[in-house]
Amino acid sequence: GSVTVTFEDLSPNTKDQVRISFKGLKMKKMDTFGSADPYYKLLRILPNGEKKLLHTSTIKKNTLEPVWEQSPVFRLSDLFTADHDQQCMEFQCFDHDMLMSDDSMGYFRFSLNELNAAKGSTTKPFLLKKDKNKDVTFYGEIYVADMSLVQFPSFCLLYTSDAADEEDSVDLGGRRIIKKKRRHRRR
């Protein structure tokens, strides 16, 4: 005999998880007696325009070429919308200062498709930019050093042929309902 199994994908990417690591190159010197102490914040731009902080990296001391650790694991659906071209993530970079407030080193926004295109590329950086009175100043290049995507299929069992062949059960979208046979007691 044979068994036929049919599945349906219920909601793609809702359980997929991602970790990202970034590195900077050609970053602007920010400190008088050193280079820079960069760190970044990863934010999700919500549909109403507000921003939600998702992660703050560690500070990389005295460098213009930081290599940051991998981000925590995020559900892909928490980072991006179903429209993979929508720029709904923002990377903000800062120079840490001990005595004064931290200096902004610029930002960029990106979509899932842009992130995928930049993954592992040495020729497609994101540019850190800062707008000042209609002038744009560039503060360096950010590369996606690594991105690991773990995909979790989300499917529902719709039908198995063996359930249809049995008289004592019914297959309802992956849920097998088994009818209990009643036994009559003899007295």
Side-chain angles (χ1 to χ4, degrees):
S2 66
V3 174
T4 303
V5 180
T6 306
F7 293 96
E8 177 183 9
D9 191 9
L10 294 178
S11 48
N13 296 332
T14 58
K15 293 182 181 181
D16 294 354
Q17 296 179 345
V18 66
R19 288 183 76 161
I20 311 163
S21 60
F22 294 98
K23 67 180 179 181
L25 291 175
K26 302 177 186 174
M27 297 186 76
K28 192 171 182 176
K29 182 179 174 183
M30 300 295 289
D31 297 335
T32 306
F33 299 107
S35 52
D37 303 314
Y39 69 95
Y40 72 87
K41 294 181 179 183
L42 200 56
L43 299 105
R44 170 72 156 85
I45 303 168
L46 302 174
N48 65 2
E50 291 182 23
K51 296 176 184 178
K52 178 182 177 183
L53 178 63
L54 300 175
H55 173 64
T56 301
S57 75
T58 57
I59 298 166
K60 297 299 178 182
K61 297 281 190 181
N62 202 28
T63 182
L64 298 177
E65 296 185 354
V67 178
W68 289 287
E69 72 286 346
Q70 275 195 324
S71 69
V73 175
F74 294 110
R75 283 188 16 213
L76 207 55
S77 61
D78 290 339
L79 301 181
F80 299 100
T81 64
D83 177 3
H84 294 173
D85 290 318
Q86 183 180 358
Q87 290 184 330
C88 55
M89 292 297 297
E90 186 169 289
F91 179 104
Q92 296 178 350
C93 194
F94 297 90
D95 173 47
H96 176 70
D97 286 326
M98 293 288 275
L99 302 175
M100 300 169 56
S101 62
D102 295 349
D103 298 317
S104 172
M105 294 181 75
Y107 72 96
F108 61 87
R109 291 183 176 175
F110 60 95
S111 69
L112 177 59
N113 285 342
E114 290 169 326
L115 186 67
N116 276 325
K119 178 177 90 172
S121 172
T122 57
T123 59
K124 292 183 180 180
F126 291 106
L127 300 178
L128 280 177
K129 63 183 178 186
K130 190 172 169 185
D131 303 324
K132 286 184 181 177
N133 302 328
K134 297 185 182 180
D135 291 331
V136 177
T137 305
F138 292 96
Y139 283 79
E141 299 175 349
I142 301 296
Y143 292 85
V144 179
D146 186 37
M147 184 175 94
S148 26
L149 178 65
V150 179
Q151 295 181 310
F152 292 94
S154 57
F155 49 79
C156 175
L157 177 64
L158 293 178
Y159 174 79
T160 60
S161 62
D162 64 330
D165 295 339
E166 298 177 24
E167 294 177 9
D168 61 345
S169 64
V170 178
D171 187 331
L172 297 174
R175 295 184 183 105
R176 183 177 249 186
I177 311 295
I178 300 175
K179 297 177 185 176
K180 292 183 179 179
K181 293 182 182 178
R182 289 187 177 184
R183 294 185 184 193
H184 299 285
R185 288 187 180 175
R186 290 187 179 172
R187 292 187 187 202

